[in-house]
Amino acid sequence: MARKMILRDEDATIRLAIKLAEYAQAGDAILLSGPLGAGKSFFARAFLRAFCRAPHLEVPSPTYTLVQSYESPSCVVSHFDLWRLGGPDELEELGWDEAREGVVLVEWPQKLEDLLPEDALKLEIRVLADGQRQARLAGWEDRLKEADIAGVGTDV
């Protein structure tokens, strides 16, 4: 079951990232999709800072390196930006299998093709005409039922 909400501003995006970081665990994949400029990297930075419990963590975009990994108190979390990936066969070189033992955040997940994790949390962010974001969450049904994300944004 998918859940949609309006994220009125960057603070709402940060609150969503913090809340989802509370429920993430080793073996999870969070797939971030949406057009350029939608806020995928912004969400990823906020998530990484919350999950790693490091509010001032430097989080460069992995657009050119394709992956950046971070130590958290519970596991390694890897942030993949697959925009420039030629195909899923290149993922082996990036350490995809090892990264899946921890948490993976994946921007441009459609590049995973057959490697798309079925049990992933899918977060699609769209930019509305007024500049607000609409987030659509699908997956993690059991955890999202428990998560209190009601105050994060306005349900649609």
Side-chain angles (χ1 to χ4, degrees):
M1 181 174 141
R3 183 168 182 178
K4 290 183 184 178
M5 66 178 61
I6 301 296
L7 303 172
R8 298 195 182 285
D9 53 25
E10 288 182 340
D11 286 341
T13 301
I14 291 169
R15 287 192 306 273
L16 178 60
I18 290 169
K19 186 53 71 174
L20 293 177
E22 291 176 20
Y23 287 87
Q25 56 197 20
D28 281 343
I30 300 173
L31 309 178
L32 306 172
S33 57
L36 283 171
K40 297 180 298 293
S41 293
F42 186 84
F43 171 89
R45 279 186 193 93
F47 177 91
L48 286 161
R49 289 175 178 147
F51 191 77
C52 294
R53 297 186 188 124
H56 303 291
L57 180 67
E58 189 68 31
V59 182
S61 173
T63 301
Y64 294 103
T65 60
L66 301 181
V67 64
Q68 294 281 347
S69 295
Y70 304 87
E71 291 291 332
S72 81
S74 61
C75 65
V76 173
V77 58
S78 299
H79 179 196
F80 288 83
D81 184 332
L82 303 182
W83 173 254
R84 298 177 344 108
L85 190 74
D89 53 314
E90 295 176 15
L91 281 170
E92 186 177 331
E93 296 173 33
L94 298 175
W96 175 254
D97 290 335
E98 296 82 19
R100 288 289 289 132
E101 294 174 11
V103 172
V104 294
L105 288 170
V106 183
E107 296 185 49
W108 306 102
Q110 64 273 23
K111 299 272 189 144
L112 292 170
E113 297 178 12
D114 292 342
L115 296 175
L116 204 64
E118 291 183 27
D119 59 347
L121 174 66
K122 297 165 191 76
L123 173 59
E124 179 184 359
I125 305 173
R126 295 182 342 146
V127 182
L128 302 177
D130 60 4
Q132 296 181 104
R133 285 4 187 207
Q134 181 183 63
R136 181 182 182 276
L137 295 158
W140 290 10
E141 280 78 13
D142 293 342
R143 284 185 262 175
L144 285 182
K145 285 179 187 174
E146 296 174 17
D148 179 17
I149 56 176
V152 170
T154 306
D155 284 340
V156 179

